[in-house]
Amino acid sequence: MLSKKTKYAIKALMVLGRNFGQEPMQIGKIAEEERIPKKFLEQILLEMRNAGILYSKKGAGGGYSLNKAPEDIYLSQVMRLIDGPIALLPCVSLNFYRSCEECVEEHACGIRDVFVEVRNAMLQILNDTSISHLINKEKELNLEDDSN
């Protein structure tokens, strides 16, 4: 399940993505716009800044902005940064592999085989979905709502 921390990170990136190319945004404005607890958001934004996803500016006119274009920030990158492994089992993880303690023959494990397929399908979507894509998707959904 997607953690609240990762969901908040994605929501904050969407706000900053909609503001891309403009002045940095203050944490309070982002927190208010997305109903994210400010202290929790501070930790999340700092983590993303340290990873190079965000840029921060101190002082008057300060705040956070994207360090790269919204179309260059992918969900897989954000999820791994905030929560670690994406795979549902450690033995199928690409970046955080660990063998399962109870597994005798990993190569012949039916459970593992199915979850490799699940991982691959999920990664395909997450690697292809950028913050820009989410912003556009949200606009499309709002247009559909308005036409009903």
Side-chain angles (χ1 to χ4, degrees), residues 81-119:
L81 172 66
I82 303 296
D83 279 339
I86 291 172
L88 299 175
L89 294 173
C91 64
V92 301
S93 180
L94 295 174
N95 297 323
F96 301 90
Y97 172 85
R98 278 189 349 262
S99 62
C100 296
E101 295 172 15
E102 67 282 352
C103 199
V104 180
E105 292 187 50
E106 191 174 273
H107 69 279
C109 178
I111 296 169
R112 181 181 189 280
D113 191 58
V114 168
F115 280 89
V116 165
E117 290 179 46
V118 170
R119 178 208 63 206

Side-chain angles (χ1 to χ4, degrees), residues 24-124:
M25 289 185 73
Q26 294 183 335
I27 293 173
K29 176 125 174 75
I30 300 167
E32 183 183 316
E33 201 169 308
E34 291 300 326
R35 294 192 207 121
I36 302 171
K38 188 177 172 187
K39 285 286 185 196
F40 194 28
L41 182 60
E42 285 175 3
Q43 297 169 344
I44 295 167
L45 296 179
L46 185 61
E47 205 170 324
M48 290 193 292
R49 189 203 69 191
N50 291 340
I53 295 172
L54 299 179
Y55 165 80
S56 67
K57 180 180 173 187
K58 295 184 182 200
Y64 281 90
S65 57
L66 297 182
N67 209 19
K68 46 186 161 181
E71 56 269 11
D72 295 328
I73 303 170
Y74 294 91
L75 289 183
S76 57
Q77 174 188 14
V78 177
M79 289 174 69
R80 282 189 178 114
L81 172 66
I82 303 296
D83 279 339
I86 291 172
L88 299 175
L89 294 173
C91 64
V92 301
S93 180
L94 295 174
N95 297 323
F96 301 90
Y97 172 85
R98 278 189 349 262
S99 62
C100 296
E101 295 172 15
E102 67 282 352
C103 199
V104 180
E105 292 187 50
E106 191 174 273
H107 69 279
C109 178
I111 296 169
R112 181 181 189 280
D113 191 58
V114 168
F115 280 89
V116 165
E117 290 179 46
V118 170
R119 178 208 63 206
N120 291 343
M122 192 162 60
L123 273 179
Q124 179 72 49

